[in-house]
Amino acid sequence: MGQEFSTARQSLVRRLATAIFGAPKYLKDPGLFHKMSLIPVLAWVGLGADGLSSSSYGPEEAFRTLGSHTYLAMALAAFAALTVFIISYAYSRIIEHFPHGGGGYIVASHMLGPDAGVVSGSALLVDYVLTITVSIASCVDALFSYVPQAYHVWKVEVGCALAVLLIVMNIRGVKESIAVMAPIFMVFVGTHVLLLLNGILTHADRFAHVAAGFRTGLSHDLSSIGIFGILMLFLRAYSLGGGTYTGIEAVSNGLQIMREPRVQTGKRTMMYMATSLAFTAGLLLVCYTLVGISPVAGKTFNAVLADTLFAGWPFGATIAFITIFSEGALLLVAAQTGFVDGPRVMSNMAVDSWLPHRFGALSVRLTMRNGILLMGIAAILLMLYTGGSVSALVVMYSINVFLTFSLSQLGMSRFYIQRRHEDPQWVRHLSVHLVGLILCATILVVTTFEKFAEGGWLTLVMTSAVIALCYLIKGHYRSVRKGMAQLDEALLDFPTSGIRNDAAPCRNDLTAIQLVSAYSGFGVHTLLSILTTFPKTYKNVIFVSVAVIDSGSFKGAEELAALESSVQQGLDKYVELARRLGYAAECRMTVATDVVESVVEVCKELGEQYPRSTVFTGQLTFRLEKFYHRMLHNETAFAIQRRLQWDGLTTVILPIRVSI
């Protein structure tokens, strides 16, 4: 009765999880990658939204910084649009030459070395947490522009609730979450095109006045602060409005989810994003100047602009509300980028052993659940710490964005210098990256200097802490690899003697079911431990392995086929070794994202086929167990043992000692 209740409860929990997060993906579906990949328009929605949404806070911050010197806003608009195209073109080159994604982390790692790579990767991770936080905070600010001031005390709570909603949507899957948000994106585009064209066309007669104001303001400032003062004022506004350019790198980081041909899809997505961002950000600054926007308590500049421009229209208040509501909703879509690209950067770093390997794992929905949860929880904590202050978050956000931008441009500059004998257009490409490097480094230095005490210090502390943690993790994995290498050296090619056994395993003989991964000294050591601990006991040995689909292998059908082939080759080597040692042997392989579930299913099938069987698996053990070992090394063996023991299959875990 108790077991039936437990089974029913597990079934209820599983159905509830499926309803919330979605059903598992069928890995053998030949069209799986095509179905999950994004065409340029959807990629523009899912990844380009981060860049386009920055027009909600970047131009406003730049315009505020000008203070009374708003005559410089027209020049600032031109420079903002130009900067967008320069950085976007530079990242199009990255897409072309690094087509497997990873963006700034991959470029820095390959071109500047692993030390620069971990700095870029750590900056990106903090950046994407801030992407989520600042986007949600800006979304809440935009939406609350039309909510009475008395209710503004609930902003942080609403922001945290939206973060939880996004966590659930992204665990369901990237394409599903983007498809839901696509209509919001299109409403934003339509309403903002209407807003900006309305502002330009109805205030065209103001251009002469603005030009006269430029001459007057420039003349006044030349006599009061001089040309150097004007340049510093302009540079400060340009740099502190650097939030406008954040998100441009998202396309190159998320290239894995693009539909084939990926490079062309990525470059087209980048073109869509650059054009839409340059148009929106540049014209917003122009409209601020033409209309003469000034701050209104509790409202964003864009809300003030929409109220002003649509004031005389039929249903103007409704149109203004829809415009700003779509802006807030787009900011929510932009937070999506942090959940799409952040875990992908995390998984790339996990593959390189800078982060725990479990962050490269995929869920049954083929999403990086561990990374999504970590990014979401970190964003909620930052939301609570800053009280949802967009001004503080944008400063923190911009510093890491431009640190990564600068390293990427430096890496690509070196790339083209190295290829100068192969690429006849290397000078043209190099010049773009050098200009991009100068712009990004300038914005980075000015923003850090100006806003260090206003939150910049916290970004640097957070990033430094992540970098330090990465080095500690890398050092541990390096030590473990040295110990494993000693096992490989001692056991992979040891000689065997005796009579070879090519017979098929007999159903009624005692059978050892050994769980293995790749063919290695670890697996051979486990096999020899079975045979020496239980001498002359087992007649059959069945090797079981799972081709684990993680973020490193889930890039396309070819990578998946290569993974299956590699796992099968390793199993064949184990079978060959067992036969040379005189045992009847065979193997089983399955493809899955969840090792425990798939191993349990295979072992239960084998338990029915070979009723006198025992399951064996190895587990790393250290001389001195530390609290972090469980975080860095999976507890798969113990999870499998618990499940199989409950199902009546005896499971033995053999300790494999590694000295570090």
Side-chain angles (χ1 to χ4, degrees), residues 140-155 297-299 321:
V140 172
D141 273 2
L143 297 180
F144 272 73
S145 292
Y146 293 94
V147 173
Q149 288 273 357
Y151 295 99
H152 284 209
V153 294
W154 295 100
K155 280 185 176 182
K299 286 184 175 288
F321 173 77

Side-chain angles (χ1 to χ4, degrees), residues 325-352:
F325 183 85
S326 71
E327 184 175 291
L330 181 73
L331 284 158
L332 194 62
V333 178
Q336 170 80 4
T337 305
F339 287 108
V340 172
D341 281 349
R344 293 187 183 281
V345 173
M346 197 177 292
S347 69
N348 283 328
M349 296 180 72
V351 169
D352 292 338

